[in-house]
Amino acid sequence: MPFSVRINGHETVQPPAPGQCLRTYLREHGWREVKKGCDTGDCGACTVHVDDLAVHSCLYPAHRADGRAVTTVQGLGAGDRLHPVQEAFIRARAFQCGYCTPGLVMTTAALAPEQYADLPQALKGNVCRCTGYRPIGEAVRASHAHPGPSSAWDAADPASLGVVTGTARFTLDDPEPAGLLHLALLRSPHRHARIRHFDTTAARAVPGVHAVLTHQHAPPGRFSTALHERTDDDPADTRVLDDVVRHVGQRVAAVVADSAATAERACALIRVTYEVLPAVTDAEQALDPGAPRVHPDGNLVEEVHLATGDVERGLAQADARYAATFRTQRVQHTALECHATRAWRAADGRLHVHTTTQAPHLARRRLCAIFGLPPERVRVTAARLGGAFGGKQDLLTEDITALAALHTGRPVQLEYTRAEELTATTTRHPFMVRVTLGARRDGALTGLKLRVVADTGAYGNHGPAVLRRGCTEALALYRCADIAVDGYSVRTNNVPAGAFRGYGVGQVTFAVESALDELAGVLGLDPLAMRRTAYLQAGDKSPFAGAGGHHPIMDTGLSKCLDALASARVQRRAARPVPAARPHVLVGEGLAVAAGHTEPADDHIATASVALRADGHYDLAVGAPEFGSGTTHVLHRLAADALHTRPDRIRLHQADTDLLAHDSGGFASTGILLAGTAVTRACQSLCRQMTELTAAHCGSRPAHCRLDTDQVRCAETALPLTALHAYAQAAGQRLTASGRATTAERPPTLALSAQWFRVSVDTTTGIVTVLDSVHAADAGRVLDETQCRGQIEGAVAQGIGTTLFESLPTDDQGHIITSGLRTYAVPHYGDLPPTEVHFARPDAPARHQMPKPMSELPFNPVAPALANALRDATGRRFSTLPLRPDAVWSQLITPSTDRT
């Protein structure tokens, strides 16, 4: 019998390749909404229905679909009507990046009625890294409660429609260029070695192999993979391919072949002769003068020495002192979309690089520097990204893919596996923080002393800025005249660290906020009450300046956040009293607060352009892609408000270097703060042009003209926008405008995030369970409360994961041993309670308020708040992350030396 499968009602008779999974078969036939997140059945992004049964298509053999009906998320609705589950996900805003959404929608649509009673079990096969799961639960329950006929598609929110129907395009969802080749990388098995010889004969002889690239084919220049507006912020210590490898997993050679499988087979045939060199893997040891040198210029990337007052005098005046060392671990971003790049020569001869980057213009600038190309000969684009969290602010796949495309003259694609994501991309910086803290009996701080050592790994990308930001912003809260900080960012022969949500602030906050709780206990003060004394008061300046040289000033937001936590914990205690005493289960609560400068650490530039179209709609261009920050929705709203129209009349174009002269991209929580300002300015400028031109055409004054949804009204005359566009063309005038915003324009203030947890601890297993979660945020003027709440909930969820169980340990040879989502456990639906979010409402009128960044900051107080709750429950101070059950249990059975 010939092979036949019906996919969304369309019959397909082409048989799958031997051993092919259903996911790749579907994508080969154009159903690109079926996503790749793990290829091991652990994330659920590839979920489809086979005869109404939800399956993970990455594990389902394609040949088993013979004679069956396969439904993807695109086939779920009927005509122009949404399925009730799709509609429920839109109404609940149950997604941010949206990469996991097709799989979650398909899982939900296949649930039996009895499964809704146990959603943690029903949704255990799906992972979302962005949302915190609360809106997903709401959407699932709503689809069950209201399963009736769905409404027609709401064109006012095209981005949401694209996500829930699977038509939103991510990096590799566009049709493949003709003649596409695939790239695979050979990686180093050694921590530190010099390459003496390659034998690529066998690899080049494999049918379908087009090239084998080594350091001999790579440009000799060194660069930083970090993408910053300031190009001198990071050490230039990286080559596309190098003859010295400095960490296990560093790329050694690249094979270009007809398929990824062929390229991988050929990689295994390359023989490399290494001269193994001495390695150093401990950041503190790497500071020793006799330590092995990771790079010829030494191991120290950056050092920071900050002081105000006399810290030894301040500590001597304390009524109580506390000193301890805190350590944070290496963790991975675990965005569900893996890094991927396509590069090819376009018809005009330019190099086109389509990639998973948060900063297309900065990526283009770096590629031009590496390959000696002028900017006009390179175009970089990005689609919607399936999460980022800072992990896509580095040049990780673009340079090697561009080299392969330039070398072969053919289009080339590189897509990382989940194992490569976990073992060979950038991570969060591990920190060692030695804190000494002193206070008077009333809780006022007298002295604060820190020694900070950050492990930036084998390369210095982001190392200087992460250290500086951690040593300044993490201390922005504290009212203390005598502070001293000595910080060091150090290279080791470990996998490189990079940009990660919080950017160094969370690691230092974990140490200082934990120490503050210890002092409160010694002094017999309520931890929240002590913070009211230890923190800045309204009008106080932060002890150290930010990147722009300004000392941020505290406003009234902090006291409102503390008030919100105080009220919420009282209500939670009353609503959920401590469970009945069980000898082996302990319950405790804890809180922590983190501050963030509202000016980014980089000299960020945001630009936007807007133009009136012939059909009376608008084209709006911005520089950054959407990667789950929710900026697309907000920018649509801001533009619509400024142009007095509806969001569906604005076509948003993003992340394309051909659209704008320059833009720094989307990172450092600038998507709304700066891009929003640039969009508003561009639209206001176009609005003025349109009213002025209409006034001239109608013989009226601009002050008497008003822009409306699809027309301009001047006195009693209404000129349709289509007619206005035609009139402008006839007059030789193009109705377009641009806007620009920079960090230098923003007044230096502080954004605040305060977190409270109640946890239980099973002393027989060491398992920590989060019972209650409350977050209070000073986000300034909140432009979209649903979007901002989602950012906070997602940050708290990620923070819980990185605090309780996420880690990237290595074996004795330096290999990271967690190479999949089965061993690198991220939070699932059943792991988290909903986070109750409170916003501190500013005192100033809305028109004078400024938004404050919330993409990163809410992540930072999570670890110390959890550690403080665990301290309250057990009487033990846990100073090393993660707080995994084995670590908690082993410390609980060890005699305590903590305060009582």
Side-chain angles (χ1 to χ4, degrees):
M1 293 280 299
F3 180 88
S4 176
V5 58
R6 291 190 66 80
I7 306 172
N8 295 333
H10 303 275
E11 185 174 10
T12 303
V13 297
Q14 180 180 338
Q20 187 173 27
C21 71
L22 182 57
R23 183 188 68 81
T24 58
Y25 181 82
L26 291 170
R27 288 184 64 83
E28 282 180 2
H29 286 80
W31 304 104
R32 299 304 181 98
E33 67 273 20
V34 184
K35 304 303 182 193
K36 169 189 170 181
C38 65
D39 269 345
T40 54
D42 294 311
C43 76
C46 67
T47 304
V48 300
H49 294 175
V50 178
D51 288 344
D52 299 323
L53 177 69
V55 302
H56 288 183
S57 60
C58 68
L59 296 182
Y60 193 93
H63 74 86
R64 288 183 56 190
D66 186 16
R68 300 178 184 273
V70 175
T71 306
T72 74
V73 74
Q74 282 203 46
L76 197 60
D80 64 346
R81 306 189 76 81
L82 293 175
H83 188 278
V85 174
Q86 293 169 318
E87 183 176 329
F89 269 69
I90 287 181
R91 292 187 185 281
R93 194 84 70 86
F95 50 84
Q96 289 184 41
C97 81
Y99 196 79
C100 69
T101 307
L104 275 161
V105 167
M106 296 307 290
T107 296
T108 304
L111 292 181
E114 63 272 14
Q115 290 180 281
Y116 287 88
D118 188 359
L119 290 187
Q121 177 68 20
L123 301 178
K124 69 177 184 179
N126 292 79
V127 169
C128 178
R129 190 59 159 165
C130 297
T131 64
Y133 293 109
R134 189 265 315 158
I136 291 174
E138 289 184 1
V140 174
R141 287 187 292 271
S143 69
H144 178 57
H146 306 285
S150 62
S151 61
W153 290 14
D154 180 6
D157 192 2
S160 295
L161 287 172
V163 168
V164 301
T165 60
T167 56
R169 285 294 183 249
F170 292 84
T171 307
L172 297 183
D173 289 348
D174 290 330
E176 296 179 353
L180 180 69
L181 302 177
H182 295 265
L183 194 62
L185 301 174
L186 177 67
R187 297 186 179 278
S188 169
H190 302 293
R191 285 170 162 157
H192 197 192
R194 187 177 303 280
I195 297 172
R196 289 303 187 186
H197 178 68
F198 281 104
D199 183 352
T200 62
T201 306
R204 287 184 284 108
V206 174
V209 169
H210 291 258
V212 179
L213 306 175
T214 70
H215 65 270
Q216 296 169 339
H217 303 93
R222 296 192 178 274
F223 59 94
S224 174
T225 63
L227 299 176
H228 281 127
E229 186 60 44
R230 288 198 300 263
T231 56
D232 60 349
D233 204 37
D234 307 282
D237 55 9
T238 305
R239 284 186 66 192
V240 178
L241 290 167
D242 206 337
D243 61 343
V244 175
V245 292
R246 296 178 171 87
H247 67 92
V248 172
Q250 181 170 330
R251 59 195 187 199
V252 170
V255 174
V256 190
D258 289 335
S259 70
T262 299
E264 290 168 4
R265 287 197 302 270
C267 269
L269 298 175
I270 299 173
R271 298 292 174 258
V272 186
T273 302
Y274 294 97
E275 175 194 350
V276 178
L277 302 173
V280 59
T281 59
D282 182 272
E284 293 167 86
Q285 292 177 3
L287 286 170
D288 294 341
R293 288 196 165 203
V294 181
H295 286 263
D297 62 347
N299 298 339
L300 184 63
V301 170
E302 178 76 324
E303 56 184 312
V304 170
H305 302 285
L306 302 169
T308 177
D310 183 339
V311 72
E312 298 302 334
R313 179 196 63 194
L315 292 171
Q317 295 173 349
D319 294 316
R321 291 171 58 168
Y322 177 79
T325 299
F326 294 82
R327 299 182 187 277
T328 61
Q329 81 283 30
R330 182 176 289 106
V331 296
Q332 231 288 320
H333 310 79
T334 330
L336 283 192
E337 181 190 31
C338 297
H339 288 80
T341 296
R342 283 179 184 163
W344 67 95
R345 288 280 193 184
D348 59 4
R350 294 192 301 162
L351 176 66
H352 188 165
V353 178
H354 186 64
T355 186
T356 49
T357 183
Q358 296 172 242
H361 283 86
L362 301 188
R364 180 182 67 172
R365 185 171 66 186
R366 187 59 44 81
L367 289 170
C368 288
I370 293 170
F371 296 106
L373 298 170
E376 63 270 16
R377 302 304 300 163
V378 179
R379 180 186 182 188
V380 175
T381 57
R384 190 181 185 101
L385 302 184
F389 316 112
K392 292 166 183 172
Q393 198 191 334
D394 272 272
L395 203 75
L396 298 183
T397 54
E398 295 85 354
D399 55 333
I400 189 67
T401 311
L403 174 66
L406 293 171
H407 183 84
T408 62
R410 294 270 297 275
V412 178
Q413 174 177 303
L414 173 60
E415 181 182 16
Y416 274 4
T417 65
R418 179 56 58 187
E420 286 179 300
E421 289 288 316
L422 288 166
T423 62
T425 61
T426 58
T427 71
R428 189 188 191 206
H429 283 73
F431 268 52
M432 185 286 298
V433 183
R434 176 70 180 175
V435 55
T436 305
L437 192 61
R440 292 197 299 265
R441 289 184 178 85
D442 63 355
L445 300 182
T446 62
L448 173 55
K449 184 178 181 180
L450 294 182
R451 186 177 190 271
V452 179
V453 180
D455 182 353
T456 196
Y459 295 93
N461 48 306
H462 295 280
V466 166
L467 178 70
R468 291 194 298 266
R469 192 167 167 189
C471 290
T472 54
E473 288 194 33
L475 304 183
L477 272 176
Y478 302 106
R479 194 181 199 190
C480 184
D482 300 306
I483 303 176
V485 182
D486 295 300
Y488 306 89
S489 182
V490 186
R491 294 190 186 104
T492 62
N493 292 112
N494 294 320
V495 64
F500 189 102
R501 197 175 207 161
Y503 214 66
V505 180
Q507 293 95 314
V508 180
T509 299
F510 168 60
V512 181
E513 282 292 287
S514 296
L516 197 64
D517 247 44
E518 288 296 320
L519 270 185
V522 171
L523 296 168
L525 298 175
D526 175 80
L528 194 150
M530 181 170 180
R531 282 168 169 80
R532 293 190 188 274
T533 304
Y535 290 163
L536 299 178
Q537 306 298 307
D540 289 346
K541 288 185 177 181
S542 291
F544 300 119
H550 307 290
H551 290 259
I553 299 173
M554 180 64 73
D555 55 25
T556 59
L558 175 60
S559 63
K560 294 177 180 180
C561 287
L562 294 178
D563 290 344
L565 280 197
S567 176
R569 73 177 183 176
V570 169
Q571 293 174 9
R572 287 297 182 105
R573 287 168 179 170
R576 189 173 183 171
V578 175
R582 288 182 288 169
H584 65 287
V585 177
L586 306 174
V587 176
E589 62 180 61
L591 63 94
V593 185
H597 294 180
T598 56
E599 57 178 351
D602 197 16
D603 292 334
H604 210 93
I605 299 169
T607 54
S609 68
V610 62
L612 179 65
R613 292 155 44 100
D615 61 1
H617 291 221
Y618 299 91
D619 282 320
L620 174 66
V622 297
E626 174 60 64
F627 48 86
S629 62
T631 55
T632 299
H633 186 73
V634 176
L635 294 181
H636 262 117
R637 280 188 48 193
L638 290 173
D641 289 346
L643 293 169
H644 306 282
T645 190
R646 298 192 312 267
D648 65 297
R649 297 183 65 86
I650 297 168
R651 181 180 297 178
L652 184 62
H653 307 271
Q654 296 174 270
D656 183 343
T657 55
D658 275 5
L659 297 177
L660 301 166
H662 184 74
D663 185 280
S664 299
F667 54 90
S669 300
T670 57
I672 293 175
L673 301 182
L674 295 186
T677 301
V679 164
T680 298
R681 288 173 176 172
C683 293
Q684 289 175 340
S685 177
L686 179 62
C687 183
R688 287 192 295 271
Q689 290 183 41
M690 293 165 68
T691 54
E692 288 171 359
L693 186 61
T694 304
H697 177 66
C698 296
S700 182
R701 294 182 180 180
H704 296 161
C705 297
R706 180 174 58 87
L707 190 59
D708 206 344
T709 303
D710 56 0
Q711 60 189 356
V712 182
R713 294 184 176 275
C714 281
E716 301 302 319
T717 303
L719 183 66
L721 295 184
T722 51
L724 177 61
H725 184 276
Y727 174 69
Q729 276 201 320
Q733 183 175 343
R734 185 164 181 261
L735 290 171
T736 183
S738 61
R740 188 175 187 270
T742 66
T743 58
E745 305 172 46
R746 290 189 55 82
T749 58
L750 292 173
L752 284 307
S753 273
Q755 177 68 42
W756 177 83
F757 287 114
R758 180 157 44 175
V759 305
S760 68
V761 188
D762 188 327
T763 59
T764 63
T765 62
I767 294 175
V768 178
T769 302
V770 180
L771 303 175
D772 290 288
S773 174
V774 178
H775 194 97
D778 174 18
R781 179 189 174 197
V782 179
L783 298 175
D784 185 329
E785 190 164 303
T786 302
Q787 178 267 342
C788 191
R789 186 181 305 275
Q791 286 290 294
I792 292 170
E793 291 173 326
V796 172
Q798 190 174 33
I800 291 173
T802 57
T803 301
L804 294 185
F805 39 80
E806 294 182 39
S807 183
L808 287 171
T810 59
D811 62 17
D812 292 342
Q813 303 302 313
H815 296 83
I816 290 175
I817 60 177
T818 50
S819 58
L821 292 184
R822 198 157 300 178
T823 50
Y824 188 86
V826 298
H828 286 63
Y829 182 91
D831 295 327
L832 308 170
T835 293
E836 178 183 312
V837 177
H838 299 265
F839 292 108
R841 304 300 178 184
D843 295 325
R847 65 181 182 277
H848 298 308
Q849 298 167 14
M850 295 291 288
K852 295 182 179 181
M854 279 290 134
S855 293
E856 298 182 72
L857 179 60
F859 176 88
N860 294 332
V862 172
L866 279 172
N868 289 337
L870 187 57
R871 174 69 165 97
D872 183 55
T874 65
R876 303 293 186 95
R877 171 54 59 187
F878 292 81
S879 58
T880 298
L881 298 181
L883 305 175
R884 295 176 67 156
D886 54 344
V888 172
W889 179 83
S890 62
Q891 187 163 331
L892 290 178
I893 65 171
T894 303
S896 175
T897 57
D898 289 340
R899 64 171 171 84
T900 58

